[in-house]
Amino acid sequence: AARATVESTTDVDRSLTPSLAANGDGASFVSLQSYDYSGFADCWGPCGGRNNVDYPLLAFTKLDSGTPVVSSFVLEGQGYGGSVNLLVASGTRALVGTGWKGQLSILDAKNDAVEVVRSIDVVGSPYQAAQSGSTAVLSMSLDGAMTVDIAQ
């Protein structure tokens, strides 16, 4: 019987928990979520969550090389909610949805470092995604649906 092996590991701050993961052809992405509830003071009450917090992510590249590269990145706060609620990958890019009534961000990890290559203002809250190639079809909860080409 074949056995799974651990090829590499990476440490993360103990206050962070891996949340969502997405695989592209050239990179894999993992969102990290904080369970430190002290940040809720920024927006407690009507919005029920944190307001404009930062969102830490990890990108894994060169997975087939035998020496994977792990890059950490912090997406600056947008919207309400306090967590990444959508993560879809294609190639070396990831589409990241955060909070409620915030933005979608497209990240690129092609050069072993993560950068925001595009931001998209949204009316609603990204809820779920289906993917065909580099196109993501997003359910925007009560605000309809939209498509995003992650490659552009």
Side-chain angles (χ1 to χ4, degrees), residues 16-116:
L16 300 174
T17 301
S19 180
L20 301 176
N23 295 316
D25 293 333
S28 295
F29 298 85
V30 174
S31 66
L32 301 172
Q33 184 167 339
S34 171
Y35 285 101
D36 173 13
Y37 293 102
S38 63
F40 278 77
D42 290 342
C43 184
W44 190 251
C47 62
R50 291 183 282 179
N51 185 12
N52 295 324
V53 298
D54 292 335
Y55 303 95
L57 296 109
L58 298 174
F60 297 82
T61 55
K62 298 183 180 176
L63 294 174
D64 295 334
S65 72
T67 310
V69 174
V70 180
S71 303
S72 60
F73 180 77
V74 176
L75 183 61
E76 292 182 13
Q78 355 169 325
Y80 303 121
S83 67
V84 171
N85 54 353
L86 182 84
L87 184 61
V88 180
S90 177
T92 60
R93 291 186 171 198
L95 175 65
V96 181
T98 57
W100 173 71
K101 307 268 184 193
Q103 286 184 329
L104 297 171
S105 298
I106 297 178
L107 310 180
D108 199 332
K110 69 180 171 190
N111 296 318
D112 298 335
V114 182
E115 66 177 333
V116 176

Side-chain angles (χ1 to χ4, degrees), residues 13 18 21-22 35 48 73 75 83 89 102 108 110 117 122 124 131 133 135 137 140 145 149 152:
D13 185 310
Y35 285 101
F73 180 77
L75 183 61
S83 67
D108 199 332
K110 69 180 171 190
V117 293
V122 293
Q131 185 176 355
T135 301
V137 179
M140 300 301 289
D149 187 343
Q152 291 188 358

